Amino acid sequence: NNTEGGISLTSEVKDQSQSKAWLVIAIGPEVVNGNKGDQVYLRWSDGIKIKVDKLEAAIVPEDAIKAIR
């Protein structure tokens, strides 16, 4: 449930304009910055909504991440 070089995130993705941290649950093999378990702030316009184990999640490209907490 992940694209090459993409990052999967948990939490509901209803209001993409919210300024909250999202938990990284998986990363693609080409990701350079960030790790599974990081909390990130990102630009949602490039995200793709998905379902992972019945949870709403999103796949975003690495360059959509604006900060890692």
Side-chain angles (χ1 to χ4, degrees), residues 5-66:
I7 297 172
S8 297
L9 307 168
T10 61
S11 196
E12 285 193 37
V13 186
K14 290 182 181 177
D15 182 359
Q16 297 176 350
S17 65
Q18 292 182 28
S19 180
K20 72 177 209 176
W22 295 85
L23 177 65
V24 176
I25 60 171
I27 61 172
E30 295 180 11
V31 173
V32 177
N33 298 306
N35 296 294
K36 183 177 175 180
D38 284 348
Q39 292 187 359
V40 296
Y41 295 88
L42 44 96
R43 180 183 67 242
W44 279 106
S45 59
D46 297 332
I48 300 169
K49 292 181 185 180
I50 61 169
K51 290 252 185 193
V52 176
D53 299 327
K54 298 182 182 179
L55 295 174
E56 289 188 20
I59 296 174
V60 297
E62 183 176 15
D63 65 352
I65 294 176
K66 298 302 166 192

